[in-house]
Amino acid sequence: MTRKNQPIEEDSSYGILNGKSIFFIGAGNVATHLSHALLHAGYKIKGVYSRTTSSAQTLGDDLGCFWTTNIEELLEADIYIFSIKDSVLEELLSKVILLYPQAIFVHTAGSIPLSIFHGKVNKYGIFYPMQTFSKKRAVLFDNIPIFVEPSDNEVAQTLFSMAQSISSQVNFLDSDRRLRLHLASVLACNFANHCYTLASQEMEKAGLPFEYLLPLIDETAKKVHELPPEEAQTGPAVRYDQNVINKHLSLISETIKRDIYKLMSLSIHQNSHD
């Protein structure tokens, strides 16, 4: 099974306010949220490709557009946005380029440089919305920073216009600094969320609901809106209170979790005394 939903006619009033048509390669978290945001901003979403029928059909039906699991069946569009795993980007890019080399090719990854397009296509760029996305949770794009890196002035105008149609925070960022930004976002978001997972496991062992921690989590996040993170840091690791630290370690049976606790405590202490 490769595709359903016929493409919307060009004279339809559906999503043509901005005059640019977009085809999404990928139907994951980023593609889902970004495609809906651009649709609501007036862009025409020509179609969606995904390796799996369920994800392609779900997003395609939600957008009311063509969908496919066959990369050879892509419809012609002005812009192809790749929101897929880093490991398969180059492979799929090479296939789509053969179909529509005249289009603008864009990826949304934080860790892949602009140079992945060099020598392959004429018009290309990066459109990186820096936010954590989950399909089942709605987000407002207006306050999401979007970082753009274009191949030339024409692409710059297209990508900046597209970004400004959905966000009030749009900036140029080169590949080297975007990679550093991506690292920082992994530390601030993915690693922090994993600590929530570890905390949830400890709460479960004590027969306590994770919800007890939510006011603490909320206040911790709010504080860094007003204080530098190093000034907002509290807890036994700041003063390296070994009595408390050793009590905590005695409760942890998992080797990896013990190592995380030790290294995190040491890092907190060292950063608070630089």
Side-chain angles (χ1 to χ4, degrees):
M1 186 174 187
T2 57
R3 69 182 176 96
K4 291 288 179 275
N5 280 1
Q6 292 303 310
I8 297 165
E9 296 298 325
E10 292 295 333
D11 61 354
S12 168
S13 60
Y14 180 95
I16 59 173
L17 298 179
N18 287 291
K20 294 289 185 182
S21 60
I22 301 171
F23 202 108
F24 273 85
I25 311 299
N29 294 338
V30 176
T32 296
H33 286 280
L34 182 56
S35 61
H36 279 98
L38 291 172
L39 176 65
H40 293 149
Y43 284 87
K44 182 178 180 62
I45 310 301
K46 290 289 287 287
V48 174
Y49 161 85
S50 179
R51 292 178 302 125
T52 62
T53 298
S54 60
S55 58
Q57 182 175 14
T58 297
L59 184 54
D61 288 350
D62 285 348
L63 296 169
C65 70
F66 169 93
W67 60 267
T68 183
T69 57
N70 184 347
I71 200 70
E72 304 294 334
E73 293 185 342
L74 269 58
L75 303 179
E76 185 174 6
D78 297 308
I79 304 170
Y80 291 89
I81 297 180
F82 291 75
S83 290
I84 51 181
K85 291 181 180 179
D86 293 3
S87 59
V88 298
L89 175 57
E90 197 157 12
E91 174 191 351
L92 291 180
L93 176 63
S94 63
K95 293 180 179 180
V96 182
I97 287 171
L98 292 176
L99 297 173
Y100 302 110
Q102 76 288 351
I104 296 174
F105 291 81
V106 176
H107 77 66
T108 63
S111 57
I112 298 181
L114 190 68
S115 60
I116 193 172
F117 296 110
H118 291 176
K120 299 182 179 72
V121 288
N122 294 323
K123 303 292 182 182
Y124 52 88
I126 293 162
F127 193 94
Y128 175 51
M130 195 193 71
Q131 183 56 282
T132 175
F133 296 101
S134 297
K135 288 183 181 180
K136 294 182 179 180
R137 180 170 172 80
V139 296
L140 296 176
F141 259 85
D142 184 60
N143 293 320
I144 294 176
I146 297 178
F147 298 95
V148 172
E149 186 178 11
S151 60
D152 54 39
N153 289 335
E154 178 186 341
V155 174
Q157 291 178 357
T158 297
L159 296 187
F160 270 91
S161 176
M162 189 164 70
Q164 289 168 346
S165 73
I166 60 175
S167 174
S168 60
Q169 298 190 49
V170 180
N171 297 279
F172 169 82
L173 194 67
D174 61 65
S175 292
D176 290 340
R177 289 188 296 160
R178 180 167 37 82
L179 179 58
R180 184 73 67 175
L181 173 65
H182 189 252
L183 167 61
S185 68
V186 166
L187 291 168
C189 173
N190 305 131
F191 284 13
N193 190 76
H194 182 62
C195 286
Y196 300 156
T197 299
L198 300 182
S200 177
Q201 293 169 357
E202 296 305 316
M203 294 293 279
E204 185 176 355
K205 290 176 184 177
L208 299 172
F210 180 74
E211 287 72 20
Y212 282 175
L213 294 177
L214 293 180
L216 175 66
I217 291 170
D218 292 341
E219 176 60 18
T220 302
K222 289 176 183 176
K223 281 202 295 186
V224 295
H225 285 264
E226 302 175 9
L227 298 172
E230 59 272 17
E231 291 184 19
Q233 187 70 56
T234 61
V238 172
R239 57 190 182 274
Y240 215 71
D241 187 333
Q242 290 190 319
N243 183 48
V244 175
I245 290 172
N246 288 335
K247 284 182 178 180
H248 288 171
L249 289 172
S250 71
L251 297 174
I252 304 173
S253 58
E254 304 91 336
T255 301
I256 291 179
K257 191 183 293 186
R258 284 175 60 86
D259 290 342
I260 290 172
Y261 187 102
K262 289 178 181 178
L263 289 172
M264 191 74 77
S265 296
L266 179 60
S267 181
I268 290 170
H269 182 66
Q270 289 180 342
N271 278 275
S272 65
H273 290 77
D274 285 346

